[in-house]
Amino acid sequence: MNAPLPSNTAYPAASPAAPAAAGDGISAALQMLFAAAVGITVINLFATQTLIAPIAAALGLDARLSGMVAMLPQLGYAAGLILLVPLADLLENRRLIVSLLACCALALAAATVSISGWLFLLAIFLAGSASSAIQIMVPLAALMAPETHRGRVVGNVMSGLMLGILLSRPLASLLVDLGGWRLLYLVLALSVALVAATLSRTLPRRQPAAGLSYLALIKSLWQLLLSQPVLRRRALTAALAMATFSLFWTAVALLLTQAPFHLDQRHIALFALAGAAGAIAAPLAGRIGDRGWTRPAGHAAHLTMIAALLLAGVAGSGWGGFTVAAHPWLAIAMLVLAAIGLDAGVTTDQTLGRRAINLLQPEARGRLNGLFVGIFFVGGALGAASAALAWVHGGWTAVCLLGIAYAVATLVIGVLQKH
C-alpha cells in the first residue's frame, strides 16, 4: 500500500506498478493509462443513443419510456457529478475512484442480464452515476503535474475522453451487429472492471486535507459558482460548444440515411469513426495553453467550429450552389471534414477550459470539475433536444444555422473572457 501523499502538491506516480515518472511529474505511461481509463468509462454514457429501438423491443419497454434508454446514463452522470464527485475533496482519491469504477462494472453487468425493463433502466442510471469517477481522475492527473505542464497532461487525458465519446456510437453499432446489445454491455462491464483493477495497483494515494463535511461540500457548490468568474465563463463556453457538438452528431445520422446518401448503420459507424480524428486536438490544445496562448487558441477553436458548420451546410444542403445529389461521395467527404473540424474545435475549447479550472483552488478541485462538467453536459442535452426540433422544422439547413448560432455565441463569449 502506498503512503498517503500531500493533497495540494504535484507528485509522481508512487506505486511500484507504475513506470518511473517523467520530468513533468507524471509519467507518459500513467498519462496514457488515465486517458484509456476515462475513454473506456465514458463509452456507456453515449453507446445506447443509436440502440434505443432494439433494447426497447427486447425488454418490452413502452414507447413513451424508450427515450429513457439514452437519457438515463447521462442523467445518472449528472447526478454523480453533483453528489459523488465532491467526495474527491473529502475521501482518499484512489480508493474512491476504484470503488466507483467497481460499482459501474457491477451495474453494467446487471444491465447485461436484465430481463426487466425497469431493472435495466435502474442499472444504466447507476452505471452513469458511477462513471462520474472520470471527473475525479482528470483533476487527479492535473494535480500530479507541475503547473507549467498541467495543460499538456490535461490535454493528453482529455484526448482519451473525447475518443471514448466519439468512438462510443460506432463501437456500439459494430458490437450489436456482431452479437446484440447484451454483448455490448458485457464488453463494457468487463472493460470497466479491468480498468478498476489496473488503477487499484497503479494510482498513487491522495488524501485531501481535512476540511468540510460532505453536506457542507454539497452546500458549497453554489458559493463556488458565484465566487469563481473563470468557472462561470469557461463552463458557459464549454456548454455552448457541447450544444453544437450534440446538435451535429444527433442530426447527421438522420441526414446520412436519406437521399442521396442512403447509408446504413455500419456505414454511419464508419463515418463517426472518421470524425473521431478531431480528438487529436486535445493534447495540442494543452501544450498551447501551457505556452500562454489560451486566448488566441480559443478564438481559433471557435472560428473552426463556425467554418465546419458552414462546410456542413454546403455538403448537406447545397449552400453556395453545390449540387449534393450530383456529388454524394464528395458531399460525404466534406461532411467528414466538417465533423473533424467541429470535433477539434469543441475538444480544444474543453481542454483549455479544463486547464483554466484546474489552476483554481486546489482544495476545491473536485467540486470545480464537477460543476464545470455538469454545466457543459446541460449544454449537450440542449443541443440534442434542439437538434430534433431544428430537423423537424427546417431539416439540415435549420440544424446548421442553429449550430452556427451556438458557435458564434461561443466565440463572442470567448472574446469577452479575460482568462
Side-chain angles (χ1 to χ4, degrees):
M1 180 69 72
N2 298 325
L5 292 162
S7 62
N8 297 330
T9 58
Y11 47 81
S15 168
D24 59 1
I26 175 173
S27 70
L30 191 54
Q31 291 178 51
M32 290 179 63
L33 177 60
F34 270 116
V38 299
I40 290 169
T41 306
V42 81
I43 290 174
N44 80 88
L45 301 180
F46 296 90
T48 56
Q49 290 182 348
T50 58
L51 308 176
I52 294 174
I55 292 176
L59 297 177
L61 286 174
D62 185 276
R64 291 169 295 181
L65 297 176
S66 61
M68 298 178 70
V69 172
M71 182 185 73
L72 281 177
Q74 297 193 40
L75 187 62
Y77 187 67
L81 292 173
I82 300 300
L83 299 176
L84 299 177
V85 170
L87 290 170
D89 296 329
L90 183 65
L91 303 178
E92 196 278 306
N93 282 192
R94 181 179 65 184
R95 180 178 298 177
L96 178 60
I97 290 168
V98 171
S99 298
L100 287 174
L101 291 177
C103 291
C104 181
L106 288 173
L108 291 169
T112 304
V113 299
S114 293
I115 56 175
S116 161
W118 287 107
L119 178 59
F120 176 83
L121 293 176
L122 175 62
I124 61 174
F125 176 85
L126 293 176
S129 298
S131 298
S132 60
I134 293 168
Q135 300 310 327
I136 304 173
M137 287 187 271
V138 175
L140 179 60
L143 183 63
M144 293 169 67
E147 185 172 325
T148 54
H149 293 99
R150 191 159 290 162
R152 178 190 304 177
V153 171
V154 170
N156 290 340
V157 177
M158 279 293 293
S159 64
L161 181 66
M162 292 306 297
L163 274 174
I165 293 173
L166 294 169
L167 295 178
S168 59
R169 298 175 185 88
L171 177 64
S173 297
L174 292 175
L175 285 174
V176 170
D177 190 53
L178 286 174
W181 63 269
R182 292 186 190 275
L183 175 62
L184 167 67
Y185 276 95
L186 176 61
V187 170
L188 289 177
L190 293 174
S191 300
V192 174
L194 179 61
V195 167
T198 304
L199 293 182
S200 70
R201 294 180 56 82
T202 51
L203 286 186
R205 295 182 62 202
R206 184 242 172 185
Q207 179 64 52
L212 299 175
S213 66
Y214 174 71
L215 186 59
L217 286 172
I218 298 299
K219 289 181 178 179
S220 71
L221 293 174
W222 179 247
Q223 185 58 41
L224 280 173
L225 188 62
L226 291 178
S227 65
Q228 297 292 337
V230 173
L231 170 64
R232 293 196 302 272
R233 289 194 291 266
R234 288 292 179 184
L236 182 55
T237 60
L240 288 167
M242 193 65 174
T244 313
F245 174 89
S246 295
L247 174 85
F248 177 89
W249 284 104
T250 300
V252 74
L254 300 173
L255 173 71
L256 293 174
T257 59
Q258 295 188 347
F261 307 115
H262 298 296
L263 299 188
D264 58 22
Q265 279 297 116
R266 190 173 300 180
H267 289 102
I268 292 174
L270 292 174
F271 176 90
L273 188 62
I280 196 174
L284 297 177
R287 286 166 170 78
I288 289 171
D290 287 338
R291 294 187 178 185
W293 300 340
T294 296
R295 284 181 61 82
H299 300 339
H302 302 152
L303 289 170
T304 300
M305 291 164 55
I306 296 170
L309 289 161
L310 288 171
L311 181 60
V314 173
S317 295
W319 293 358
F322 178 71
T323 307
V324 180
H327 307 284
W329 290 108
L330 177 58
I332 289 176
M334 288 193 291
L335 284 169
V336 168
L337 288 175
I340 292 172
L342 179 62
D343 293 349
V346 173
T347 300
T348 299
D349 175 87
Q350 290 189 5
T351 301
L352 294 172
R354 195 181 292 269
R355 179 185 182 277
I357 297 305
N358 279 292
L359 292 175
L360 301 177
Q361 300 177 20
E363 71 280 4
R365 189 167 280 126
R367 284 166 286 161
L368 290 168
N369 275 272
L371 284 168
F372 175 74
V373 178
I375 291 170
F376 85 62
F377 258 78
V378 171
L382 171 65
S386 60
L389 292 174
W391 179 263
V392 168
H393 292 289
W396 186 247
T397 295
V399 169
C400 291
L401 289 174
L402 182 57
I404 291 170
Y406 286 147
V408 168
T410 308
L411 174 64
V412 170
I413 294 171
V415 169
L416 296 176
Q417 286 181 352
K418 298 179 180 179
H419 300 282

